[in-house]
Amino acid sequence: MYDQKKVLFLKVLTPLHAGSGTDIRSVDLPIQREVHTGYPKIESSTIKGCLRDTFEFNDKNNNNDHEIINAIFGEEGASELSAAAIAITDARLLFFPVRSAKGIYALITCPMVIKRFQNDMESFGVKNKICIPSDAPALASENNILSLDNNAGKYSILLDEFRYDIGKSPDFERCCNDLKHYIGLTEDIAERAVLLPDDDFKDFVTHATSIVTRIKIGNNGVVENKALFTEEYLPEESILYSFIMMSDAKLDSKPDSKEPKYKAPELMGFFSDKLPPVFQIGADATLGKGFVMTYLKGGDTND
């Protein structure tokens, strides 16, 4: 059904709030999370809506691409009705930034996340050759900039207030270099990446997000009564991935032909060419929140 498949990597440039509505827990406006793992994510509907808004905004001056944009994202109106040719999966977390006593910050991940990423890539038909390291209490690459020398041939890393004795693994360094090749958004993964146990990773992504207390100002320029609320953000430097799939257009066929008006390769080519290097996702756009850098990759070639 979907002839074209690529993977979209997103690097968070400014704190991002893809909200899940109000909550009865300590945070009034939490971010979206997976139910079974608790890992932060971005819903596919959120990504699709923000991408469509971006494509339409960039086309509003000439309106030359209105029809093909509708073919990709779908059209609904009084006279036209068609499903989208594009399918987008939820954006899953791959690396999460955490404060480090040395090197400013680390990019943490875990064996479950790496293995899931590889399985996802294989399931969606995107070729990959990622070296998955064996499980260990904590691993970093041999040329990392985060480790502290304990003067006994051993090394440790301080993440927030937690200390980890780490091993310097060439296997993990190869894994980081493989990921750098696929992600295409940062050159320092091997220097900053740390592989933590699955449970520790979950604790960090649950409790180390950014929580901001906000207020609402009334018409007279003063704080409104009972207008204090907290909002959660996915921190900058987070790296996520989503899969983009494309079918033939669902619009009416060409005149006197049963062929679709747009074929999947044409639509994916247009999407790849017009995908902006940076666009905005989620709430608080006027506060400069939610800007992400994009990198689209398919097969063994960079796009």
Side-chain angles (χ1 to χ4, degrees), residues 59-206:
D59 183 56
K60 70 177 183 178
N61 291 330
N62 51 46
N63 209 34
N64 293 333
D65 299 322
H66 178 72
E67 185 179 69
I68 194 169
I69 289 174
N70 282 338
I72 292 174
F73 293 101
E75 184 173 13
E76 183 175 0
S79 59
E80 297 289 338
L81 180 65
S82 67
I86 196 172
I88 303 174
T89 67
D90 294 347
R92 288 178 161 180
L93 186 64
L94 186 56
F95 284 102
F96 184 82
V98 174
R99 291 178 299 177
S100 173
K102 184 180 179 183
I104 311 302
Y105 72 94
L107 292 172
I108 65 168
T109 188
C110 68
M112 175 185 169
V113 167
I114 298 296
K115 291 175 183 177
R116 184 170 72 170
F117 172 70
Q118 184 181 48
N119 292 335
D120 287 346
M121 295 278 279
E122 293 176 349
S123 298
F124 283 93
V126 181
K127 296 179 182 179
N128 67 99
K129 301 174 184 177
I130 297 173
C131 173
I132 300 179
S134 58
D135 293 355
L139 289 177
S141 64
E142 292 183 320
N143 65 339
N144 79 87
I145 61 173
L146 309 169
S147 59
L148 302 168
D149 191 345
N150 295 339
N151 296 321
K154 297 182 179 180
Y155 299 89
S156 61
I157 288 180
L158 291 178
L159 302 178
D160 274 349
E161 67 269 31
F162 301 100
R163 172 183 167 179
Y164 290 90
D165 293 325
I166 64 166
K168 292 188 175 183
S169 167
D171 286 343
F172 186 54
E173 185 159 1
R174 285 195 295 271
C175 175
C176 292
N177 289 329
D178 291 341
L179 290 170
K180 181 176 71 172
H181 166 71
Y182 278 94
I183 295 171
L185 294 173
T186 181
E187 292 294 322
D188 60 355
I189 287 179
E191 297 176 353
R192 297 189 181 277
V194 179
L195 187 79
L196 296 181
D198 293 336
D199 291 338
D200 290 39
F201 177 80
K202 181 178 179 179
D203 288 342
F204 274 113
V205 301
T206 300

Side-chain angles (χ1 to χ4, degrees), residues 36-64:
H36 62 302
T37 65
Y39 297 168
K41 68 170 182 176
I42 305 176
E43 290 280 355
S44 56
S45 57
T46 301
I47 300 172
K48 181 183 175 184
C50 294
L51 279 173
R52 177 166 197 155
D53 286 346
T54 301
F55 273 66
E56 290 180 342
F57 177 82
N58 292 339
D59 183 56
K60 70 177 183 178
N61 291 330
N62 51 46
N63 209 34
N64 293 333

Side-chain angles (χ1 to χ4, degrees), residues 24 44 57 62 70 82 91 98 105 167 172 220 224 232 266 268 274 276 282 297 301:
I24 60 175
S44 56
F57 177 82
N62 51 46
N70 282 338
S82 67
V98 174
Y105 72 94
F172 186 54
N220 296 326
E224 291 188 358
E232 185 179 20
E266 181 182 1
M268 183 62 87
K274 299 294 184 179
K297 185 171 179 64
T301 60

Side-chain angles (χ1 to χ4, degrees), residues 26-29 211-217 226-233 284:
S26 57
V27 180
D28 297 312
L29 299 175
I211 308 296
V212 176
T213 301
R214 297 183 56 193
I215 59 175
K216 183 177 181 181
I217 304 298
K226 299 181 180 179
L228 200 67
F229 64 95
T230 55
E231 189 170 11
E232 185 179 20
Y233 292 94
D284 303 325

